[in-house]
């Protein structure tokens, strides 16, 4: 018996095989789920190629999480592959370089707005777009980087994550009566395309392996992907609005 036997899942955010979402999709398939991926624009072909590296090649539907047209079409596009969804993974993040890397005070609204739109509001947008396919017992899971703190170089992406975390709680409130859970995994630093696009990302990684009581390997997305799979499963039936830290215990330590 797999943890996710028979589940139908929509997984956003597979860009490369380093993407956290790639490992979520891989594990989910290994645990018995059927997976549909999303991608957009020029990344679509890349995702289609990477999708063939999964244990079972997965279909890819088009979704730019900031496109009203794509969001409106999402349920019908997914219905070409499955009649319902048991889970949705939000693994989407982007901020222009001008609002990261030590540019907090120089950040201009247009670029900050892009960060908030893609990285925070998109959770609400995705949840509402997928809602017609979601029933009681289904689960939405997203990925955050602990937004309680001001980190080196994360800047407006950190603010976007604070909004993202708050959005997940409001979604938990409004979708709970429909039996839909909404939870986040707060991961430690993982070396992905998004991470490497943050100027000075090494400053965020600094000290993590030493300070985390369990240690931490930024090249290993597996612990993060496992936690996402667990939250998608039936083993957290009464948990919503929660943030599960997968960071080697870093968040719980003082100096
Ligand atoms: N890598 C880390 O250290 C780390 C730590 C904690 C949380 N996270 C979060 O994990 C999630 C996945 O990031 P990752 O690290 O796997 O990097 P990644 O670059 O592999 O994935 C980011 C994804 O966001 C997608 N995306 C960007 N703009 C989009 C849009 N408009 N519409 C739809 N998709 C869009 C990209 O296509 C890409 O697949 C992000 O939310 C990120 O903030 C990452």
């Amino acid at each position: 018996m797999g943890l996710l036997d028979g589940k139908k899942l929509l997984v956003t955010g597979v860009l490369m095989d380093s993407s956290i979402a790639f490992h979520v999709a891989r594990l989910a398939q290994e645990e018995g789920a059927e997976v549909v991926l999303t991608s957009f624009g020029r990344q679509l072909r890349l995702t289609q190629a990477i999708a063939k590296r999964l244990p079972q090649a997965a279909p890819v539907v088009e979704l730019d999480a900031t496109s009203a047209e794509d969001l409106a079409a999402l349920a019908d596009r997914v219905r070409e592959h499955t009649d319902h969804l048991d889970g949705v993974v939000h693994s989407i993040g982007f901020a222009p370089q001008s609002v990261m890397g030590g540019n907090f005070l120089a950040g201009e609204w247009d670029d900050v707005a892009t960060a908030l739109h893609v990285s925070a509001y998109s959770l609400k947008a995705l949840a509402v777009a997928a809602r017609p396919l979601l029933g009681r017992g289904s689960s939405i899971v997203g990925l955050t980087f602990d937004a309680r703190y001001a980190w080196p170089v994360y800047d407006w992406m950190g603010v976007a994550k604070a909004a993202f975390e708050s959005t997940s709680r409001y979604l938990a409130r409004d979708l709970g009566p429909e039996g839909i859970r909404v939870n986040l995994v707060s991961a430690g630093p993982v070396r992905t395309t998004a991470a490497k696009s943050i100027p000075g990302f090494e400053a965020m990684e600094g000290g993590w392996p030493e300070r985390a009581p369990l240690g931490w390997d930024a090249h290993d997305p597996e612990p993060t992907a496992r936690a996402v799979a667990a939250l998608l499963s039936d083993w957290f039936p009464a948990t919503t609005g929660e943030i599960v830290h997968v960071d080697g215990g870093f968040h719980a330590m003082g100096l």
Side-chain angles (χ1 to χ4, degrees):
M1 248 315 255
L3 185 71
L4 299 171
D5 262 348
K7 300 257 187 228
K8 318 274 192 195
L9 305 176
L10 183 68
V11 178
T12 65
V14 174
L15 176 60
M16 309 286 285
D17 55 11
S18 59
S19 296
I20 293 169
F22 176 85
H23 295 276
V24 171
R26 172 182 59 74
L27 262 179
Q29 288 184 343
E30 287 168 7
E31 292 298 324
E34 275 178 44
V35 172
V36 176
L37 305 179
T38 74
S39 188
F40 75 111
R42 281 180 298 167
Q43 300 181 356
L44 196 62
R45 290 175 78 94
L46 198 52
T47 304
Q48 281 164 340
I50 298 291
K52 297 195 180 112
R53 295 192 199 164
L54 288 167
Q56 293 115 43
V60 184
V61 301
E62 185 153 15
L63 175 70
D64 175 341
T66 63
S67 156
E69 193 188 330
D70 282 355
L71 288 161
L74 182 69
D76 284 338
R77 288 176 186 170
V78 172
R79 271 195 201 96
E80 288 174 23
H81 307 284
T82 174
D83 61 351
H84 76 282
L85 289 172
D86 302 292
V88 175
V89 177
H90 179 291
S91 192
I92 295 168
F94 173 78
Q97 299 234 335
S98 57
V99 298
M100 296 188 293
N103 288 321
F104 186 78
L105 295 179
E108 298 277 351
W109 170 242
D110 281 353
D111 290 340
V112 169
T114 299
L116 290 167
H117 194 180
V118 179
S119 310
Y121 181 80
S122 62
L123 180 62
K124 191 284 289 189
L126 176 64
V128 169
R131 193 177 177 195
L133 300 169
L134 294 168
R136 298 200 78 78
S138 57
S139 169
I140 298 173
V141 184
L143 287 138
T144 191
F145 191 77
D146 200 339
R148 293 173 299 170
Y149 305 107
W151 298 100
V153 307
Y154 209 40
D155 298 337
W156 286 100
M157 191 65 192
V159 177
K161 284 301 191 196
F164 179 70
E165 292 180 4
S166 182
T167 301
S168 74
R169 290 187 284 269
Y170 280 95
L171 278 174
R173 181 194 70 180
D174 286 357
L175 297 179
E178 297 171 29
I180 302 169
R181 295 172 286 130
V182 184
N183 294 290
L184 303 181
V185 170
S186 183
V190 182
R191 289 208 153 256
T192 62
T193 307
K196 284 184 271 184
S197 75
I198 302 170
F201 177 70
E202 311 74 43
M204 292 174 68
E205 279 183 303
W208 211 286
E210 296 75 32
R211 191 167 148 193
L214 292 174
W216 183 255
D217 180 0
H219 296 276
D220 185 9
E222 179 89 11
T224 303
R226 283 190 179 216
V228 174
L231 287 167
L232 289 168
S233 80
D234 295 332
W235 287 88
F236 282 92
T239 299
T240 196
E242 187 57 280
I243 302 178
V244 177
H245 291 83
V246 180
D247 62 354
F250 185 101
H251 72 283
M253 297 297 112
L255 279 179

